[in-house]
Amino acid sequence: MRTQFIRRSAAVVAGLALAGGGLGIAGALQANAATTHTTLVSASVAAKSITIKSDKTTAKAWAKVSFTGKTSGIAKNTVVQVQRLENGKWVNFPATTKVTSKSTYSVWVQSGRVGVNKFRVVAANTASAATSVTITK
């Protein structure tokens, strides 16, 4: 939206400058608008993201289930917190790890809650999609 405003503003000013015979000013304004657009695109590339993958879709109660994933835009050594969906709310699960220098993480959990358990990970105010693990007796 901001880039559209900048482009429209530059076009209006350029039109006025051309009408007044100031071709040099219009060219400078258009070059400035293009530079601003490039800066905005570069800033959006550094968006934060985190993925999650489970090594099991079904596990016995209290068996270890490993989660691994990749991050983007999240600094090394940032804490990765596992969360479980309980009664419609995401609750911190007692399992954490840290982002590695290769922008990955690995953590495992154990759950005795029989049924479908939905997990996700959160790091730097960024949450992964949920993954489901069915826990059996």
Side-chain angles (χ1 to χ4, degrees):
M1 249 163 114
R2 182 176 175 184
T3 55
Q4 288 177 343
F5 174 75
I6 292 170
R7 286 182 190 159
R8 288 179 184 158
S9 298
V12 169
V13 173
L16 293 173
L18 284 173
L23 182 59
I25 294 170
L29 288 172
Q30 287 175 341
N32 188 23
T35 303
T36 303
H37 177 68
T38 303
T39 303
L40 293 173
V41 170
S42 297
S44 66
V45 172
K48 293 187 243 179
S49 67
I50 187 166
T51 64
I52 187 171
K53 184 177 180 183
S54 174
D55 68 336
K56 298 175 182 145
T57 55
T58 303
K60 295 224 178 244
W62 302 113
K64 285 185 180 180
V65 178
S66 294
F67 298 124
T68 57
K70 295 180 181 180
T71 65
S72 176
I74 299 174
K76 174 185 166 186
N77 290 326
T78 300
V79 174
V80 177
Q81 172 70 58
V82 177
Q83 293 183 331
R84 180 170 61 186
L85 190 62
E86 296 178 11
N87 300 318
K89 293 184 179 182
W90 289 104
V91 178
N92 286 347
F93 200 78
T96 61
T97 189
K98 291 186 178 181
V99 175
T100 68
S101 60
K102 294 184 179 182
S103 298
T104 61
Y105 72 90
S106 177
V107 65
W108 57 268
V109 299
Q110 291 176 295
S111 177
R113 181 174 287 179
V114 175
V116 176
N117 286 243
K118 288 193 176 194
F119 292 97
R120 73 177 185 178
V121 289
V122 178
N125 296 322
T126 304
S128 70
T131 188
S132 297
V133 179
T134 302
I135 304 297
T136 61
K137 289 185 179 181

